[in-house]
Amino acid sequence: MDEIKHYIGGKYVSGTSGRTADVYNPATGEVQAKVPLASADELNAAIANAKAAQPLWAAQNPQKRARVMMEFVRLLHRDMDKLAEALSREHGKTIPDAKGDIIRGLEVAEFCIGAPHLLKGEFSEGAGPGIDMHSVKQPLGVVAGITPFNFPAMIPMWKFCPAIVCGNAFILKPSERDPSVPNMLAELMSEAGLPDGILNVVHGDKEAVDGILDHEDIMAVGFVGSTPIAEYVYTRGCANGKRVQCFGGAKNHMLIMPDADMDQAVDALIGAGYGAAGERCMAVSVAVPVGEDTANRLMEKLTPRVEALKIAPYTAGDDADFGPLVTKEAETRVRGYIDAGVKEGADLVVDGRDFKMQGYENGYFLGGCLFDNVTKDMSIYKEEIFGPVLSVVRAQTYEEGLDLAMSHEYGNGVAIFTRDGDAARDFASRINIGMVGINVPIPVPLAYYTFGGWKRSGFGDLNQHGPDAFKFYTRTKTITSRWPSGIKDGAEFSIPTMG
Ligand code: NAD
C-alpha cells in the first residue's frame, strides 16, 4: 500500500495528524494508497515555510521566474506518459483524456511565460507640474488553491502557475481522491528551478480547508469544486478579509436548432455528454432540441450512439470512450439520480445501470444513460448529476429553449448548434452564462482568455487564468512622485489636483 506524503519546503514529508483517507483505483475498487489528512498544525507549519521563502522569490526578476515556467513546460512534456498513467490510475479517465487534462494545464504554464510583459505597470510622465505617476503590480504573499478531483492536473496548474510566476508562494490543497499528480507537479516545479517553499502540497479535507480560510497569512484563495462548498469557502474566506474566487457546479445546456447539422450535433453531444463519464464541469448534461421534428430526428440518431458507447478501464487501450466513476460514493449518487428520474416520469431511453465490466466487477462502472421528455421540475434536470447521464428537454420554440438555459441556477457553459448566424448572435448576446459555444459543445476558453461561470457556478469577480489571473494574484500600488522642486514650498491643505 502506497503512503502518499505532503510536499512541503521542496521535500516529501509524512503526515503526522494520524488521519488518512483511502485512495482507490476506480477500475478495480481496490484501495491503492493512503493519503494523509493534514491537521491545522501541519498546515500552519507549511504556511510559515512559504511565508519565509516568498520575499526572495518575489525579488527575483520576472524573467527568471518565467524561465522556471519554461523549464516546467519542458518537463511536463518529458513526463507526459508517467503523469497520465498516474492520473488515470486514481481518477479512472482514459489515457488520452488524462493527457488532455495535463495539456490544458500546461497551456496555462505557457501563458505564464509571458509574465514579464503581463506584470508591466503604467507610467504617466508629467501627470502634474514636476509630477510623475506610476503603478506597479506586486504579489500578495502566500496564497492558496483548493481543487477538485475531476481535473487533478489542469486545475492545480491553473491556480499555481499564475500565482507563482507573479511572485507569490503557494499552498495547494488538492482533492484527497486523486492526490498523486499534484505531488508530481510540485516535484517537477522544483526540478525546473523553483526555490523550496514556494509551492507546497498539503493534503487534507475540511480541517485543512478551514485552516487555510482562517489563517491570517493566507492572502488569497482560489477554489474549484461543488457549489455548496464554493459558496462556503467564498463566504468564510471573504469574512476573514481574503481575496477569494470560487468556481462551482454546472448544468450545461446545448440547444439544437431545426437547421443544425444533426450528425455534427450528435457527435458533439456524445463527446461532451459522456466523455470522462460526465465528470466535467463543462460536460453537456441537458440537450434541448427546438421543435418536435428536431427532437425526433435527434433521438433517432443519438440513441444508437449512446447504446454503442465503449466503456473500459484506462489500461484497456486508447479507444475507450470513458472509464469508471471516481468512487463508489459517486457511483451510488449517480445511480440514485437515474432511479429518481425514472420515478419522476422521464423516459429512460438508454439504461446503463446494468452495465458490468467483465473482469472489473468491483470497479465503479456505469453505462451511458439517456433520458427523454425530461421536464423542469425533475431533480435530474435541476441538480448536477456529474455522471454519464444526458437529459433531453424538448422545447417548442427558440425562446423557450433560451429561457430554459437562462432560468437554470447554474451558468457555467452553454452551446447552440445552428447554421443561422442571426440565431447564434442573438443567443450569445442574450444568454446569462459565462462561456458560450456556437457549434462548439465544450467552449473551454484557451489559456490566454479567462475561464469562469456566472450565477451559482462562480463566486467572486475575476475569472481563472488569462489576464484575470494576473490581476487576482497581484495588487496594484500607485506611486506619485515629484522631482525635484516644490516639496519644500510649504504645506498644502487642500487635496492636490493635477490642474
Ligand atoms: P468538492 O466540492 O467535493 O471538493 C472540492 C474541494 O473541496 C476538494 O479539495 C475537497 O477536499 C474540498 N472539500 C470537500 N468538502 C469540503 C467541506 N465540507 N469543507 C471544506 N472543503 C471541502 O468537489 P469535487 O467532487 O472534488 O469536484 C466536482 C465538482 O467540482 C462538481 O460540482 C464540478 O462541477 C465542480 N467543478 C467546477 C469547475 C469550474 O471551473 N466551475 C471545474 C471543475 C469541477
Side-chain angles (χ1 to χ4, degrees):
M1 170 92 48
D2 281 352
E3 179 209 350
I4 291 169
K5 296 182 176 178
H6 304 297
Y7 189 83
I8 298 171
K11 53 181 187 298
Y12 282 112
V13 295
S14 293
T16 54
S17 70
R19 292 195 310 125
T20 59
D22 291 336
V23 179
Y24 295 90
N25 178 336
T28 63
E30 284 160 11
V31 177
Q32 55 181 335
K34 296 261 182 210
V35 61
L37 302 175
S39 64
D41 286 347
E42 287 173 287
L43 174 76
N44 293 346
I47 295 172
N49 209 311
K51 192 179 177 188
Q54 190 265 337
L56 262 183
W57 172 242
Q60 295 254 3
N61 71 56
Q63 257 178 309
K64 285 191 177 159
R65 296 201 301 264
R67 282 183 197 136
V68 172
M69 303 312 302
M70 244 185 261
E71 179 61 2
F72 179 57
V73 168
R74 191 186 72 78
L75 296 174
L76 287 171
H77 283 295
R78 184 197 69 188
D79 286 3
M80 184 66 67
D81 289 338
K82 202 164 90 177
L83 287 160
E85 207 276 336
L87 198 159
S88 294
R89 187 162 18 100
E90 291 181 355
H91 178 285
K93 63 176 80 174
T94 64
I95 293 285
D97 201 28
K99 288 185 180 170
D101 186 332
I102 297 159
I103 289 166
R104 287 310 287 257
L106 178 155
E107 288 174 356
V108 169
E110 286 176 333
F111 175 71
C112 290
I113 295 169
H117 174 71
L118 290 158
L119 288 169
K120 282 192 296 198
E122 301 155 304
F123 188 90
S124 299
E125 185 189 26
I131 291 179
D132 299 331
M133 190 174 286
H134 72 281
S135 67
V136 292
K137 294 174 190 164
Q138 295 190 333
L140 304 173
V142 184
V143 300
I146 301 159
T147 54
F149 82 85
N150 66 327
F151 281 99
M154 178 182 88
I155 296 178
M157 284 191 264
W158 283 9
K159 303 283 177 209
F160 73 67
C161 292
I164 286 174
V165 87
C166 286
N168 300 287
F170 200 87
I171 305 287
L172 173 64
K173 204 304 285 171
S175 171
E176 61 276 40
R177 289 178 232 164
D178 42 16
S180 290
V181 169
N183 275 359
M184 292 164 79
L185 296 175
E187 241 187 293
L188 289 185
M189 284 288 280
S190 293
E191 191 182 341
L194 189 72
D196 294 347
I198 299 302
L199 174 56
N200 306 278
V201 185
V202 178
H203 298 286
D205 55 4
K206 182 172 165 48
E207 186 171 339
V209 171
D210 287 348
I212 287 170
L213 297 174
D214 294 345
H215 200 293
E216 61 174 1
D217 289 332
I218 296 285
M219 307 305 287
V221 179
F223 171 92
V224 179
S226 57
T227 287
I229 312 294
E231 190 166 29
Y232 166 75
V233 168
Y234 187 72
T235 308
R236 187 157 171 168
C238 288
N240 286 332
K242 299 185 194 314
R243 192 177 283 197
V244 191
Q245 57 171 199
C246 295
F247 301 93
K251 197 81 183 174
N252 306 314
H253 294 50
M254 181 172 132
L255 258 70
I256 301 113
M257 295 296 287
D259 66 346
D261 177 328
M262 198 51 85
D263 290 321
Q264 188 195 24
V266 168
D267 271 345
L269 273 176
I270 280 286
Y274 299 95
E279 290 174 324
R280 288 181 183 145
C281 69
M282 288 292 276
V284 172
S285 49
V286 182
V288 186
V290 173
E292 272 310 297
D293 177 58
T294 314
N296 295 338
R297 285 187 291 125
L298 173 73
M299 291 308 291
E300 196 182 313
K301 287 191 184 246
L302 186 58
T303 306
R305 295 286 299 275
V306 178
E307 284 165 344
L309 281 166
K310 192 161 175 230
I311 302 151
Y314 78 92
T315 43
D318 286 358
D319 62 339
D321 295 320
F322 64 87
L325 289 160
V326 68
T327 55
K328 186 78 204 163
E329 189 193 0
E331 186 198 334
T332 306
R333 198 197 62 244
V334 176
R335 284 183 186 277
Y337 274 115
I338 302 165
D339 295 345
V342 172
K343 224 190 242 160
E344 287 166 351
D347 298 330
L348 185 55
V349 180
V350 183
D351 184 354
R353 288 175 295 182
D354 290 335
F355 176 84
K356 286 268 174 296
M357 190 73 228
Q358 227 184 349
Y360 294 85
E361 284 76 8
N362 294 325
Y364 313 130
F365 291 95
L366 183 62
C369 294
L370 178 63
F371 276 111
D372 195 3
N373 294 309
V374 174
T375 54
K376 271 166 83 165
D377 52 314
M378 295 178 183
S379 61
I380 54 168
Y381 176 73
K382 289 192 284 197
E383 292 165 35
E384 182 182 44
I385 300 176
F386 226 53
V389 183
L390 182 64
S391 295
V392 175
V393 182
R394 294 173 177 235
Q396 296 315 311
T397 62
Y398 164 70
E399 288 295 333
E400 190 188 329
L402 179 72
D403 180 62
L404 200 63
M406 290 186 67
S407 313
H408 205 285
E409 65 168 331
Y410 292 122
N412 214 38
V414 73
I416 185 168
F417 274 62
T418 181
R419 287 188 171 102
D420 180 351
D422 178 45
R425 284 190 77 233
D426 183 75
F427 184 78
S429 168
R430 286 166 66 195
I431 198 81
N432 57 357
I433 289 174
M435 293 170 283
V436 183
I438 297 170
N439 299 315
V440 172
I442 304 193
V444 176
L446 291 176
Y448 44 96
Y449 281 80
T450 70
F451 181 109
W454 290 12
K455 299 187 275 182
R456 288 181 62 74
S457 294
F459 301 83
D461 58 3
L462 286 170
N463 280 354
Q464 308 184 85
H465 67 65
D468 273 14
F470 280 73
K471 286 194 188 128
F472 185 74
Y473 291 115
T474 58
R475 55 187 161 186
T476 303
K477 187 180 280 174
T478 310
I479 299 136
T480 307
S481 40
R482 176 149 61 182
W483 307 99
S485 67
I487 201 79
K488 299 185 290 302
D489 288 351
E492 284 174 9
F493 290 97
S494 55
I495 188 158
T497 63
M498 295 301 140

